């Protein structure tokens, strides 16, 4: 569901389709039908490819039904079964996705990728403790650390979580993976300079370690050091020419530097490496927006949401395009879905509040601003506080 983290350019705080139908499939395998069994012969990658082809044709329900039949015949093939869970999740059937992920990790408790997916699914249902437990089982993981920071902050024990990670890093000073995890914690906790030190230590422990090369570039970007970060990412793609994340981040860096043609080239390479990677799609949408082709941008954002419904920047940017063109119904639909799939991102709550406010729905707007004030994004909190004061006629809300 999620790949190594990439930098995604979102326009949200520079200015300031409805949920899919729940698909319930009860699949019966015909008994004594040899031709049926031959049609679903074991081919894990082929099964996923066929399902993806159906999804690309807009037939996600057919893809779910077909892959469900395949998985009934080959229940121990992790990748197709996991992808079936992903398709349920994309289609809004979170409960069914959870049941599939649970079945996988019961059979294969060491499958960190599925633990990560299960954590995402639990988070969308606000099951904080369950999500934390699953993300913890996904470690070492870049996405897992980031999500754990968000959830521990919500639960109120982020300091204890940080102490645990710092203690592990101090005890394993020459373990590149553990040092990289500390760097990811620092980045997620808005401490990019500390993160840079941790990533640098990781690279001293293991020169050429891809996550750390990627991480140090992202830390430079957060600090606004775009010339340095571009050099970092170029080292990453030189050492790892098939790294989707590093190529996506090269493209994102060029977007920051307003070098649109260079960005397009890097993002095209990233997309060729992973056609379903949402990061490159969102950045291609932002690139289209910068060129004034907002309808093309919306298409990219919609595709990013389809393949990565947990990617907040896709909802943010498509929401901004719809708001900018006063298409408030479409903005509301996109942002409502964004809140459902990424419930703790304050930026989306701010934008949805703005949409409600523009439509005269003051009470609903206030609820969204309150949600943003409770988020871990400082900029979103400040904007939401200001919006709420204006909504209340200048009085500080209680």
């Amino acid at each position: 569901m999620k790949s190594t983290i990439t930098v995604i350019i979102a326009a949200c705080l520079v200015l300031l389709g409805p949920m899919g139908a729940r698909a319930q499939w009860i699949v019966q395998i015909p008994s004594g039908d040899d031709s049926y069994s031959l049609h679903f012969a074991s081919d894990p990658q082929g099964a996923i490819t066929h399902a993806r082809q159906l999804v690309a044709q807009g037939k996600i329900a057919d893809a779910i039904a077909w892959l469900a039949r395949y998985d009934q015949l080959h229940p121990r093939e992790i990748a197709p079964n996991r992808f079936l869970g992903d398709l349920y999740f994309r289609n809004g059937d979170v409960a069914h996705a959870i049941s599939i992920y649970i079945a996988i990790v019961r059979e294969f408790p060491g499958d960190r990728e599925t633990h990560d997916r299960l954590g995402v699914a639990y988070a969308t249902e606000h099951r904080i403790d369950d999500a934390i437990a699953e993300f913890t089982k996904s470690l070492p993981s870049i996405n897992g650390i980031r999500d754990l920071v968000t959830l521990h902050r919500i639960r109120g024990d982020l300091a204890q979580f940080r102490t645990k990670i710092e203690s592990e890093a101090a005890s394993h000073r020459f373990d590149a993976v553990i040092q990289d995890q500390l760097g990811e914690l620092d980045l997620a906790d808005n401490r990019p300079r500390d993160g840079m030190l941790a990533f640098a230590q990781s690279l001293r422990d293991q020169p050429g370690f891809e996550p750390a090369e990627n991480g140090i570039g992202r830390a430079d970007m957060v600090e606004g050091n775009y010339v340095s970060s571009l050099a970092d990412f170029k080292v990453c793609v030189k050492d790892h020419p098939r790294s989707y994340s590093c190529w996506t981040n090269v493209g994102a860096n060029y977007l920051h530097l307003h070098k649109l043609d260079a960005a397009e080239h890097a993002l095209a390479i990233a997309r060729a490496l992973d056609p379903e990677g949402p990061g490159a799609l969102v950045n291609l949408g932002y690139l289209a927006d910068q060129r004034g082709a907002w309808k093309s941008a919306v298409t990219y954002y919609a595709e990013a949401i389809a393949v990565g419904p947990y990617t907040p920047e896709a909802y943010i940017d498509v929401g901004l395009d719809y708001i900018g063109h006063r298409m408030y119904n479409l903005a509301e639909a996109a942002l409502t879905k964004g809140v459902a799939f990424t419930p703790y991102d304050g930026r989306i709550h701010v934008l949805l509040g703005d949409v409600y406010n523009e439509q005269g729905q003051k009470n609903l707007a206030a609820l969204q601003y309150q949600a943003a004030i409770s988020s871990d994004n400082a900029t979103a909190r400040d904007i939401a506080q200001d919006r709420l004061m204006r909504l209340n006629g200048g009085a500080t809300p209680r």
Side-chain angles (χ1 to χ4, degrees):
M1 182 180 292
K2 296 191 290 188
S3 60
T4 302
I5 191 169
T6 54
V7 177
I8 303 174
I9 305 296
C12 173
L13 298 176
V14 175
L15 39 94
L16 263 359
M19 289 280 288
R22 291 172 62 86
Q24 299 290 341
W25 296 99
I26 301 174
V27 181
Q28 299 294 331
I29 304 297
S31 59
D33 188 343
D34 293 335
S35 63
Y36 188 96
S37 298
L38 286 172
H39 182 64
F40 289 91
S42 177
D43 180 6
Q45 189 53 52
I48 293 172
T49 298
H50 181 69
R52 283 176 171 159
Q53 289 170 345
L54 290 172
V55 172
Q57 297 168 21
K59 301 176 180 178
I60 191 168
D62 291 345
I64 289 171
W66 187 89
L67 201 53
R69 297 186 187 109
Y70 178 91
D71 285 335
Q72 280 197 343
L73 287 172
H74 308 288
R76 291 184 59 81
E77 294 182 359
I78 297 178
N81 209 6
R82 186 194 296 130
F83 190 61
L84 175 61
D86 296 350
L87 292 181
Y88 277 121
F89 189 86
R90 292 183 194 179
N91 208 38
D93 191 349
V94 179
H96 208 150
I98 287 174
S99 68
I100 290 175
Y101 298 147
I102 288 175
I104 293 173
V105 296
R106 281 177 179 167
E107 185 78 10
F108 305 97
D111 180 22
R112 293 197 302 269
E113 194 171 343
T114 302
H115 281 298
D116 180 79
R117 284 162 160 77
L118 187 52
V120 172
Y122 282 147
T124 64
E125 296 196 331
H126 303 278
R127 295 168 61 176
I128 304 299
D129 291 344
D130 290 335
I132 286 175
E134 294 303 321
F135 285 131
T136 300
K137 293 173 184 176
S138 78
L139 299 180
S141 161
I142 292 173
N143 294 306
I145 285 285
R146 180 192 60 189
D147 292 323
L148 282 167
V149 167
T150 298
L151 296 176
H152 278 292
R153 183 178 281 117
I154 291 169
R155 198 166 72 175
D157 60 354
L158 179 58
Q160 294 92 316
F161 177 64
R162 168 170 279 283
T163 297
K164 176 185 175 184
I165 299 297
E166 288 177 335
S167 177
E168 290 178 357
S171 300
H172 300 83
R173 191 78 176 94
F174 302 106
D175 188 314
V177 173
I178 292 177
Q179 297 304 318
D180 177 72
Q181 293 285 277
L182 176 60
E184 292 298 336
L185 170 64
D186 289 329
L187 272 188
D189 199 20
N190 303 312
R191 297 166 63 166
R193 293 187 182 181
D194 291 338
M196 224 174 285
L197 295 174
F199 292 130
Q201 178 61 44
S202 178
L203 288 171
R204 282 192 292 271
D205 296 337
Q206 184 177 327
F209 187 44
E210 179 185 349
E213 287 184 340
N214 194 14
I216 205 166
R218 289 185 290 116
D220 263 328
M221 284 188 76
V222 171
E223 289 284 280
N225 302 323
Y226 300 128
V227 173
S228 296
S229 61
L230 182 58
D232 297 330
F233 292 133
K234 284 186 174 180
V235 169
C236 189
V237 297
K238 179 181 178 182
D239 292 344
H240 311 280
R242 296 193 59 78
S243 171
Y244 167 83
S245 297
C246 290
W247 275 112
T248 300
N249 290 340
V250 169
N253 200 96
Y254 276 130
L255 287 173
H256 273 294
L257 295 170
H258 307 290
K259 296 183 177 181
L260 302 189
D261 290 344
E264 183 176 27
H265 174 72
L267 294 171
I269 293 173
R271 195 178 184 194
L273 290 169
D274 183 3
E276 291 195 338
L281 290 167
V282 174
N283 284 333
L284 284 165
Y286 185 85
L287 173 64
D289 269 329
Q290 292 299 295
R291 288 173 166 167
W294 75 272
K295 290 183 179 179
S296 295
V298 165
T299 299
Y300 280 121
Y301 298 142
E303 190 174 351
I305 289 170
V307 299
Y310 39 77
T311 309
E313 289 81 5
Y315 301 105
I316 290 166
D317 284 352
V318 76
L320 283 168
D321 272 336
Y322 284 142
I323 291 170
H325 290 84
R326 306 183 69 81
M327 298 178 176
Y328 296 121
N329 289 338
L330 292 175
E332 180 182 345
L335 294 167
T336 299
K337 184 175 181 179
V339 166
F341 278 106
T342 59
Y344 306 115
D345 194 297
R347 300 169 297 174
I348 299 178
H349 286 291
V350 168
L351 286 177
L352 184 54
D354 288 348
V355 170
Y356 285 138
N357 196 17
E358 287 289 340
Q359 297 180 101
Q361 301 180 67
K362 306 298 183 182
N363 291 337
L364 291 177
L367 289 174
Q368 293 302 319
Y369 294 144
Q370 288 284 9
I373 289 170
S374 301
S375 76
D376 62 357
N377 186 295
T379 306
R381 290 199 304 267
D382 291 343
I383 292 174
Q385 187 76 37
D386 179 70
R387 295 281 203 275
L388 203 52
M389 287 181 63
R390 293 173 184 273
L391 206 61
N392 292 327
T396 302
R398 295 180 180 272

